[in-house]
Amino acid sequence: RTTMKSLRFISAEAFVSNAEFARKSLGAVAHDLFPLLFKASYLLEQGEVIHDLVENWPLFDFNIGKLLGATLDYKEDLSHRTCSVCLESCLTGLRDYVLNQSSPYMKKLKVVNLTGIKDVEVQFCKCKKAMGRWARTQLLSKLCSELLVYLQQAQCNPGTFEISINVLIDLFVTERNYELVVQALLKKCSCPLKICCVAFRSDNLTLQKFFYIIKLTDPSLLRKLEIVHNVHLEMEHLEMLFNSIHFPLLMSLTLPARTFNVRRFTATDEQMLTNIGEKMGEMTQLTELSMSFSILTGRIQKLLSPLKTPLKMLDVSNCSLNHADMAFLANSFHANHLEALDLSGHDIPELYPSTFFKLLSHCSSVLRSLTLEDCNIQDTHVNMLILGLSPCQKLQEFKFIGNPLSSQALKHLFTFLCELPMLKNLEFPVPRDCYPIGITYPIDDASVCRFDHQKYERVAEELNLILLQANREDVKASTPLFGSYDAAVQETNNELGAYLIKSFKETLEKFTTSFNKMS
């Protein structure tokens, strides 16, 4: 499918396609044409032209999401192209904007917004090399540090030191880039490029380092905070974080697995949970909350009732919720506003079928994404599920892998799902009849791939044919056996893998030492 281009855009492509000519001619280009030329250069991956456009940017702001998004001249959105060639040219161009010795009066740029870039699984750029969020964090921090060193050593135009550009970015910090980012944040006052952290993700960091760097980011500006995987944050640390730092603009909060575990709660822990709930209640912008793989049995009300703003996104997958938790969710004011809901890892048909469907009916008018993985949904539940999903006319995404459904039940469900007009993405399970007889659910990682692959391919073809016959080629249906694609995890999997091996080795050594002492 080709997107229509205006004559202006076609002319811009022709202009930038000859990089040498374009670079020489930029001085004669009208300022209002720079955004058009930038998008054309990005589409054609003309790195040198992108660098020079940014180095000579004549406007007050540079918002990459808007520049690459749908425009009248070219409606295709390029913001999901995290092309390494283009983004590196962009950032080095920004550094050279500061160093360029032209008159400071010509320099109008005040705000650079890099937050509109979307990291996706498949890259359409020719180089096929993506620059993910971690790498963008690394490169910007490195350029800021280099810029300061250069300015201190070289004879620069005095006006250079008066340049002040706020660079809005989503930071992603792990052990490997921690020192570099810390240095850039510590020297923010002296640097013409001022890192302004809008969203912060941390993984594979000690708590001491996490607490140190989060204070450097200026938490008063933070809109999204993700603390994931190998940051061992427990409830007492979360209380400490909320007591010592205020997050007035925070809209989205993701907590690591096992932050809460009510099975070993004392009276002190109950009070701590109450305090955390009250602190979250003070975050008046908070609308997205993810607390997967914590044990929260019977405590959802205590945690969520203080919230004054309704949640639009809630992930409580594998949180051991009981009937009281589900009843609270179904009757709370959040229910009518939930656009994304993840209840994976709960035996919904067995534990609270009617309460779940009540929750579903309350959020049906706004629900866009529903995830029910490993929920023990069987063939006998499909008609009830169809009944519950029928009002969800805005549903765009439905993920239900790990449920014991037969090929026949999946075909029945797919026939119904074709009727949901906004649906774009389906993640469905390997049919139960593709596995050996006697397989138990949830299926462990060792057995998840031991199914009849040829039979699965035949069934998958039949399911896609159902979509095709209903003119729903726009729906992508897949079976990601080990979970959905996560750009951040994909980008740092080598570091995280090395960390896990190191942790396993240390645990083994401790066990061996203890065993030897006993012997």
Side-chain angles (χ1 to χ4, degrees), residues 181-248:
V181 182
V182 163
Q183 288 309 309
L185 291 172
L186 278 171
K187 294 168 181 170
K188 179 178 167 178
C189 292
S190 324
C191 188
L193 297 179
K194 302 188 182 305
I195 294 177
C196 297
C197 179
V198 179
F200 184 85
R201 180 184 174 100
S202 64
D203 196 349
N204 192 26
L205 266 189
T206 63
L207 280 174
Q208 188 181 5
K209 286 181 175 178
F210 166 73
F211 270 87
Y212 182 66
I213 197 167
I214 197 70
K215 287 175 181 172
L216 292 180
T217 61
D218 190 358
S220 66
L221 298 174
L222 214 55
R223 294 183 177 273
K224 187 172 187 175
L225 175 59
E226 296 169 279
I227 313 164
V228 295
H229 306 119
N230 299 313
V231 180
H232 299 301
L233 186 93
E234 294 185 7
M235 192 170 63
E236 58 267 33
H237 310 126
L238 185 61
E239 186 190 35
M240 203 188 307
L241 178 70
F242 287 167
N243 281 339
S244 59
I245 299 172
H246 293 288
F247 300 96

Side-chain angles (χ1 to χ4, degrees), residues 411-447:
K411 289 173 195 173
H412 180 34
L413 188 54
F414 264 59
T415 305
F416 155 72
L417 291 169
C418 288
E419 296 170 18
L420 296 177
M422 309 289 280
L423 197 66
K424 289 283 177 283
N425 187 34
L426 281 174
E427 291 185 3
F428 65 95
V430 172
R432 186 173 192 151
D433 41 298
C434 290
Y435 280 106
I437 294 166
I439 188 96
T440 54
Y441 283 77
I443 303 170
D444 58 60
D445 286 350
S447 309

